[in-house]
Amino acid sequence: MPDIKTHIYLMPGMAANPSIFEAIHLPEDKFVIHTLEWFLPERGMSLYEYAERMCEKVKEPNPVLLGVSFGGMLVQEMAKIIQVKKVIAVSSVKSKHELPKRMIFAKYTKVHKLLPTSLVNNVELLAKYAFGESVTKRLHLYEKYLSIRDKYYIDWSIDQIVNWQQEAPPSNIVHIQGERDAVFPLVNIKDCIVVKNGTHTMIIHRARWFNEHLPTIILE
C-alpha cells in the first residue's frame, strides 16, 4: 500500500527549538509531522547553502514545509532545492519587499551589527530579538522555547534576515500572518491569511487556530 499520508516538516523561528510546535496536532490518519532543528552555520555560509544542508534532513519525497519567522524564509530557500508539495510561511515574509523599514535601514547602515548579541544568554533580550515582544510574565516558557544561545548563530541569523534577496514568493506558498505581528507588521505584507489578534508568537499562543485550519490549508 502506498503511503497516502501527507508529510509535513516544521521549522521553528530564530533561536527557537521544535517545542514551539508542541501544541500542534493534526489528524494522524492524514498527516505525519516531522520537526527540523537549527544547527550552527559554518563561517561564511549563505542562507541558500544552509538550506542545502537542511534539505538533507528531509527524508520524505514531495513534503509540505512549514516555517515560522526566519524559519519561514529558510523553508522558501529549501523549496528552491527540493520538490515540495507546498510551502507554508507563518509570521514571516515572502520577499525582501515585505521586510519592515527598520530592517531595510539596518541592511544599508549595518546597524544590526551593533546589537548586543553577546548577551544571548539573557532570555528576555533573546526573546525580544526572536519574538519581538517582552516576556517577563512567561520567562520560564521562553527559556524552554529559545534554546539556541550561540552568538555567531544569532549574528548570522539577523544578518541573513536583513540581507535576504528573494524578489518574489514561490508559486506554491501559503502565508499566514498575525494581525498584530510586531516583527513583520501586516502593513508590509500582501496575499496572506490573516489571523485576528495573532502576534509573532501565535504558533504557540494560537495553536488551536492552526489545529483547526492547517488540515484544509495543507490539502487544498
Side-chain angles (χ1 to χ4, degrees), residues 5 10 12 40 44 68 71 75 84 92 97 106-107 115 119 126 133 146-147 150 152 174-175 178 181 191 210 212:
K5 295 180 182 179
L10 307 180
L40 298 185
V68 175
V75 295
V84 300
S92 190
H97 305 292
K107 175 183 176 180
L115 291 170
L119 302 176
L126 184 56
E133 57 186 56
L146 296 169
S147 61
D150 182 85
Y152 179 74
V174 177
H175 189 174
D181 194 305
D191 303 322
F210 286 92
E212 185 179 332

Side-chain angles (χ1 to χ4, degrees), residues 54-88:
M54 190 63 78
C55 284
E56 296 171 7
K57 303 177 187 298
V58 177
K59 305 300 183 185
E60 301 297 332
N62 206 32
V64 172
L65 302 180
L66 181 152
V68 175
S69 192
F70 182 36
M73 298 160 79
L74 176 63
V75 295
Q76 291 175 70
E77 294 295 323
M78 292 170 67
K80 298 171 184 175
I81 300 162
I82 59 173
Q83 184 174 352
V84 300
K85 185 175 293 184
K86 188 172 288 187
V87 178
I88 302 173

Side-chain angles (χ1 to χ4, degrees), residues 14 46-47 68 89 100 136 145 157 180 187 194:
M14 185 182 84
S46 69
L47 186 59
V68 175
T136 46
Y145 296 138
S157 298
R180 294 167 49 213
V187 66
V194 178

Side-chain angles (χ1 to χ4, degrees), residues 1 26 42 45 73 89 100 144 185 195 197 217:
M1 286 287 288
L26 302 177
E42 295 170 10
M45 196 176 221
M73 298 160 79
K144 179 177 76 170
V195 178
N197 293 322
I217 289 170

Side-chain angles (χ1 to χ4, degrees), residues 21 25 53 57 69 73 87 140-141 150-151 162 168 178-179:
F21 300 115
H25 304 291
R53 287 271 304 277
K57 303 177 187 298
S69 192
M73 298 160 79
V87 178
H140 66 288
L141 277 180
D150 182 85
K151 174 175 164 42
V162 302
E179 186 181 47

